[in-house]
Amino acid sequence: AYEISDSDWSSDVCSSDLLEALRAVTGVKASLTIFPGPDRRSVTCAADFNTPVSRALKHVDFLPGFGATPILQALFHSAIVLDQRPEPAKIVFVITDGWFPKGPVDNLVKALEDRGIAVAMVGIGRHSTPKGSIIAKAEKIADLPRAVAKVLSGLAGKLRGIAA
C-alpha cells in the first residue's frame, strides 16, 4: 500500500500522475494526502484507496502553496492509514519543498521504518531536506519527474514484492 503525500501546489499534477501510475501496477493500492490542507495546517485526504484520480484532482487543483510544511502530521497520518492496511509492503512517498532540521522528523521516519513502513521522499528546491530510506532532490519543478523516477527505481524491489 502506498500513501502519497504532497506539500507543494505545483507538484499536484505529478502527485496525481504518480497515483495513477502506481494504481496501474497489479496488486498496488495507493492513496493521496495533501498538506498543508485547506485550513493551512493539517493534512487532507485527497484520494483514499478507492477514489478515482479524476476526483482527487478536484481536491488538489484549487490549493495554493503556503506556509510551513506539517511533515510530522503528514507522516503520522500516513502511519495510521497504512497501519490499518492488509498489504505486506507499505510505503509513504512524500513530495515536498520543506526544510526539516535534524531530530523529530528523523526520529519519526525511523519509527515508521522500524514498523515496516518505508519512507521515500523527493525534495523540491535547493533548500529542501528530504528524509527517508530512499530520497532524491529536484532543484526545480521541471526536474521533478526525473527525481520521482529515481525514487521509484530505488523502490523497485518493494514494488516487485507488492505486485508478486
Side-chain angles (χ1 to χ4, degrees):
Y2 268 89
E3 171 71 10
I4 304 165
S5 297
D6 175 18
S7 75
D8 189 274
W9 69 270
S10 55
S11 63
D12 291 341
V13 172
C14 183
S15 296
S16 59
D17 287 348
L18 179 59
L19 179 66
E20 191 168 33
L22 288 171
R23 286 181 173 178
V25 177
T26 302
V28 171
K29 305 291 183 199
S31 67
L32 174 63
T33 298
I34 54 173
F35 59 92
D39 66 0
R40 299 182 181 239
R41 287 177 298 185
S42 62
V43 298
T44 299
C45 179
D48 65 17
F49 291 89
N50 300 309
T51 304
V53 174
S54 59
R55 199 159 51 166
L57 279 172
K58 292 177 184 172
H59 292 285
V60 299
D61 217 12
F62 66 93
L63 290 174
F66 46 78
T69 301
I71 190 68
L72 292 172
Q73 294 94 322
L75 290 172
F76 189 72
H77 168 82
S78 295
I80 291 169
V81 168
L82 291 173
D83 230 19
Q84 298 174 27
R85 299 295 304 179
E87 293 82 10
K90 299 172 185 187
I91 300 166
V92 177
F93 194 123
V94 180
I95 300 173
T96 182
D97 63 351
W99 175 85
F100 315 116
K102 291 192 185 280
V105 177
D106 299 291
N107 295 339
L108 185 51
V109 166
K110 183 179 180 327
L112 289 174
E113 292 185 344
D114 287 349
R115 288 189 67 80
I117 300 173
V119 178
M121 198 174 297
V122 174
I124 302 170
R126 185 178 44 189
H127 300 294
S128 67
T129 53
K131 307 282 185 172
S133 55
I134 301 172
I135 63 170
K137 281 185 79 164
E139 290 293 317
K140 51 189 180 286
I141 291 295
D143 300 331
L144 190 55
R146 186 173 24 256
V148 167
K150 179 180 176 186
V151 170
L152 287 175
S153 177
L155 291 170
K158 288 195 178 293
L159 284 172
R160 279 192 292 279
I162 292 170

